[in-house]
Amino acid sequence: MPPVLRDAHDTQQLGRYFAGLWGRRSYAWYVAVSELRSRQITSRLGNVWHLLNPILQVLVYWVIFGLLVDGVARGVENYVLFLAIGVFVYLDFQRAAIAGANSIQNNKGLIRSLHFPRAIVPITAVITESLATVPSVLVVYATAVLTGAPLRWTWLLLPLVFVFQFFLNVGSALIAARTSTHFSDFNQILPFIFRLGLYVSGVLFAVESFASESQLRLFEINPAYCFIEIARWSIMGGELKAAWLVSVTLWLGALPLVALLWFRKGEELYGRD
Amino acid sequence: MAETETDASVVVDGLHVKYHVRAEGNHLASPLAGRGLRRRHLLEVHALRDINLRFDTGEVVGVVGANGSGKSSLLRCIAGLQARTAGRVLVRGEARLLGVQAALKPRLSGYHNVILGGLAMGLSRTEVDERLPEVVSFSGVGDAIWRPMETYSSGMRARVAFSIATMRSPEVLLLDEALAVGDRAFRDRSIGRIASMQDQARTVVMVSHNLDEIRRACSRAVWIDEGCVRLDGPASEVLDAYTSLSAG
């Protein structure tokens, strides 16, 4: 049965768009795996940098705020572990958004030559980054063991944090991808946004030791802060606040879908000069 | 209305394309030029004006016209890659555009590009693997298939790109000078493949400056001039009119 005549410019119906994305799952997997493989080839340490970079960051912050500057590590028992969880979870957000912002430009040739649901491009970028992040879970466990943190059953929940984070990352990557097609300068600004975000996500210090009760409410709006705190709870114990879970649930419910709808609205924009 | 016509695979109805490009201002004319500041203007380009066309299934249509006449814009509109200002473009099934500079991922090998292209078109991994040997041999680039595509000559790139684009033939194939840089042998094979697509009731629209190529492959031709259809009819008539004008 031949297909019907259809407007070439109609954005596909949402259902067909989803089906198109699902039909490209082997594409996404293939590209993610071969991208990681080619990183391994082009740089001597290859994907090790994906781990080495955050480990070095943790060391730098630990030397500065744990040893040299007094007061930042206030109220934290195991500051190295505290930092390691914060840095690894936060970097996962940062890398996904930056990869999303660059993805359209990096895949220009593909986008110009073939017709397919463009959202697969930023989504594939997030899958690539997420695969590269898998070993960081092990680094967090290793840090916990080496710093003598007591074993808890909740350690098993840490991978789940990253799984949920993946869906949020898909949302932010889609938004970053479309934004960067409107403003090419966005890719330059993005690292600074994340630099700023580092301080309002409680990566370096325990927010509750510094913020008032009303300020804490503002922090709880920030999904990065909530994800970091939930990850810390799973490894270091303490109180699991309902506000974090509510915030994370609302973000997960809204962001990926809203981002996909907004990205799809700009379907014709991608791949142009 | 057009969409009820059963044989049509592409219907272009009152299509206008106008776009704005950011252009650097004329340095000499700009009063700010002396201070090292360049003004940026939005330049309006009227690429297509009121195009009405209909291509049927099984038709191979050549599109001719001078550089900048709007041929590529027309193809990009049919492929859904270019926003239009007014009018409609209806396509039955998928319209795939193949242009000149079409390495999907220049840093990956031709082989990887074939797999990637197949998967992006929505084939499964098994389907891609099944077609892979045939696609590679059709491209005829030999062992170069293992080299990064950025090291290819433009002819080799065109061969691989054409092989990828036709590995699952779309309902409508749009070729924008896609064969121009290929050698004689590759062009012959490609025209053979286009003819076999015609037999499968596919529609092929090809833009080319090689009139001999159009004469061989197409039964019908459309002459686009300054964004308008100047002539549309049997290939030989349109080409004769076109050549007599460019000669005179």
Side-chain angles (χ1 to χ4, degrees), chain A residues 20 55 76 100 105 133 153 155 191 199 216 246-247 263:
Chain A
I55 289 172
V76 184
Q105 182 66 26
T133 299
W153 72 267
W155 282 23
Y199 299 102
L216 220 47
V246 171
S247 172
F263 182 90

mmCIF file of all heavy atoms in Angstrom, chain A residues 20 55 76 100 105 133 153 155 191 199 216 246-247 263:
data_model
loop_
_atom_site.group_PDB
_atom_site.id
_atom_site.type_symbol
_atom_site.label_atom_id
_atom_site.label_comp_id
_atom_site.label_asym_id
_atom_site.label_seq_id
_atom_site.Cartn_x
_atom_site.Cartn_y
_atom_site.Cartn_z
ATOM 1 N N GLY A 20 9.557 7.077 15.321
ATOM 2 C CA GLY A 20 10.779 7.299 14.543
ATOM 3 C C GLY A 20 12.012 7.259 15.417
ATOM 4 O O GLY A 20 13.043 6.692 15.043
ATOM 5 N N ILE A 55 38.452 13.202 39.029
ATOM 6 C CA ILE A 55 39.271 12.829 40.191
ATOM 7 C C ILE A 55 40.233 13.974 40.519
ATOM 8 O O ILE A 55 40.401 14.360 41.685
ATOM 9 C CB ILE A 55 40.041 11.518 39.910
ATOM 10 C CG1 ILE A 55 39.059 10.335 39.882
ATOM 11 C CG2 ILE A 55 41.110 11.283 40.968
ATOM 12 C CD1 ILE A 55 39.671 9.032 39.426
ATOM 13 N N VAL A 76 30.783 18.706 57.560
ATOM 14 C CA VAL A 76 30.902 17.491 56.761
ATOM 15 C C VAL A 76 31.952 16.592 57.390
ATOM 16 O O VAL A 76 33.075 17.028 57.651
ATOM 17 C CB VAL A 76 31.304 17.795 55.304
ATOM 18 C CG1 VAL A 76 31.330 16.523 54.491
ATOM 19 C CG2 VAL A 76 30.364 18.811 54.700
ATOM 20 N N GLY A 100 24.971 18.017 24.304
ATOM 21 C CA GLY A 100 23.747 18.336 23.570
ATOM 22 C C GLY A 100 23.908 19.610 22.757
ATOM 23 O O GLY A 100 23.516 19.673 21.590
ATOM 24 N N GLN A 105 25.863 20.764 15.612
ATOM 25 C CA GLN A 105 27.007 21.195 14.811
ATOM 26 C C GLN A 105 27.882 19.994 14.423
ATOM 27 O O GLN A 105 28.322 19.868 13.287
ATOM 28 C CB GLN A 105 27.803 22.229 15.618
ATOM 29 C CG GLN A 105 29.002 22.800 14.901
ATOM 30 C CD GLN A 105 28.596 23.642 13.696
ATOM 31 O OE1 GLN A 105 27.505 24.186 13.662
ATOM 32 N NE2 GLN A 105 29.470 23.720 12.707
ATOM 33 N N THR A 133 30.142 7.635 31.682
ATOM 34 C CA THR A 133 30.028 7.965 33.106
ATOM 35 C C THR A 133 29.902 6.719 33.984
ATOM 36 O O THR A 133 30.136 6.789 35.177
ATOM 37 C CB THR A 133 28.810 8.895 33.315
ATOM 38 O OG1 THR A 133 29.031 10.082 32.567
ATOM 39 C CG2 THR A 133 28.631 9.281 34.763
ATOM 40 N N TRP A 153 23.054 -0.719 52.756
ATOM 41 C CA TRP A 153 22.341 -1.324 51.618
ATOM 42 C C TRP A 153 21.991 -0.261 50.590
ATOM 43 O O TRP A 153 21.855 -0.533 49.397
ATOM 44 C CB TRP A 153 21.087 -2.065 52.087
ATOM 45 C CG TRP A 153 19.973 -1.147 52.541
ATOM 46 C CD1 TRP A 153 19.733 -0.715 53.810
ATOM 47 C CD2 TRP A 153 18.960 -0.544 51.712
ATOM 48 N NE1 TRP A 153 18.652 0.129 53.828
ATOM 49 C CE2 TRP A 153 18.156 0.246 52.546
ATOM 50 C CE3 TRP A 153 18.672 -0.598 50.349
ATOM 51 C CZ2 TRP A 153 17.080 0.990 52.085
ATOM 52 C CZ3 TRP A 153 17.591 0.141 49.871
ATOM 53 C CH2 TRP A 153 16.810 0.933 50.743
ATOM 54 N N TRP A 155 23.744 1.813 49.263
ATOM 55 C CA TRP A 155 24.773 1.976 48.228
ATOM 56 C C TRP A 155 24.276 1.461 46.886
ATOM 57 O O TRP A 155 24.650 1.962 45.838
ATOM 58 C CB TRP A 155 26.048 1.198 48.606
ATOM 59 C CG TRP A 155 26.885 1.879 49.631
ATOM 60 C CD1 TRP A 155 26.473 2.798 50.537
ATOM 61 C CD2 TRP A 155 28.291 1.689 49.847
ATOM 62 N NE1 TRP A 155 27.521 3.205 51.322
ATOM 63 C CE2 TRP A 155 28.654 2.531 50.915
ATOM 64 C CE3 TRP A 155 29.259 0.877 49.257
ATOM 65 C CZ2 TRP A 155 29.962 2.598 51.400
ATOM 66 C CZ3 TRP A 155 30.555 0.946 49.739
ATOM 67 C CH2 TRP A 155 30.906 1.800 50.797
ATOM 68 N N PRO A 191 29.648 26.773 29.633
ATOM 69 C CA PRO A 191 30.555 26.406 30.721
ATOM 70 C C PRO A 191 30.477 27.365 31.914
ATOM 71 O O PRO A 191 30.611 26.944 33.063
ATOM 72 C CB PRO A 191 31.936 26.469 30.061
ATOM 73 C CG PRO A 191 31.673 26.243 28.623
ATOM 74 C CD PRO A 191 30.345 26.870 28.352
ATOM 75 N N TYR A 199 28.174 26.432 42.397
ATOM 76 C CA TYR A 199 28.054 27.033 43.727
ATOM 77 C C TYR A 199 26.644 26.999 44.263
ATOM 78 O O TYR A 199 26.447 27.066 45.470
ATOM 79 C CB TYR A 199 28.604 28.465 43.689
ATOM 80 C CG TYR A 199 30.065 28.468 43.303
ATOM 81 C CD1 TYR A 199 30.462 28.802 42.020
ATOM 82 C CD2 TYR A 199 31.039 28.067 44.220
ATOM 83 C CE1 TYR A 199 31.793 28.757 41.649
ATOM 84 C CE2 TYR A 199 32.372 28.014 43.852
ATOM 85 C CZ TYR A 199 32.746 28.367 42.571
ATOM 86 O OH TYR A 199 34.061 28.302 42.197
ATOM 87 N N LEU A 216 16.999 27.462 51.836
ATOM 88 C CA LEU A 216 17.019 26.041 51.521
ATOM 89 C C LEU A 216 15.912 25.673 50.535
ATOM 90 O O LEU A 216 16.083 24.827 49.657
ATOM 91 C CB LEU A 216 16.856 25.243 52.822
ATOM 92 C CG LEU A 216 17.699 23.979 52.973
ATOM 93 C CD1 LEU A 216 19.144 24.215 52.596
ATOM 94 C CD2 LEU A 216 17.609 23.476 54.412
ATOM 95 N N VAL A 246 10.338 15.079 45.836
ATOM 96 C CA VAL A 246 9.245 15.770 45.143
ATOM 97 C C VAL A 246 9.819 16.590 43.993
ATOM 98 O O VAL A 246 9.345 16.528 42.849
ATOM 99 C CB VAL A 246 8.468 16.677 46.123
ATOM 100 C CG1 VAL A 246 7.466 17.558 45.362
ATOM 101 C CG2 VAL A 246 7.760 15.839 47.168
ATOM 102 N N SER A 247 10.874 17.333 44.289
ATOM 103 C CA SER A 247 11.485 18.191 43.268
ATOM 104 C C SER A 247 11.959 17.367 42.078
ATOM 105 O O SER A 247 11.661 17.677 40.918
ATOM 106 C CB SER A 247 12.646 18.961 43.891
ATOM 107 O OG SER A 247 13.366 19.645 42.906
ATOM 108 N N PHE A 263 11.982 21.071 21.152
ATOM 109 C CA PHE A 263 13.008 20.733 20.164
ATOM 110 C C PHE A 263 12.367 20.389 18.825
ATOM 111 O O PHE A 263 12.800 20.829 17.768
ATOM 112 C CB PHE A 263 13.847 19.558 20.664
ATOM 113 C CG PHE A 263 14.950 19.168 19.727
ATOM 114 C CD1 PHE A 263 16.200 19.745 19.830
ATOM 115 C CD2 PHE A 263 14.742 18.226 18.722
ATOM 116 C CE1 PHE A 263 17.224 19.401 18.951
ATOM 117 C CE2 PHE A 263 15.749 17.880 17.846
ATOM 118 C CZ PHE A 263 16.994 18.473 17.973
#
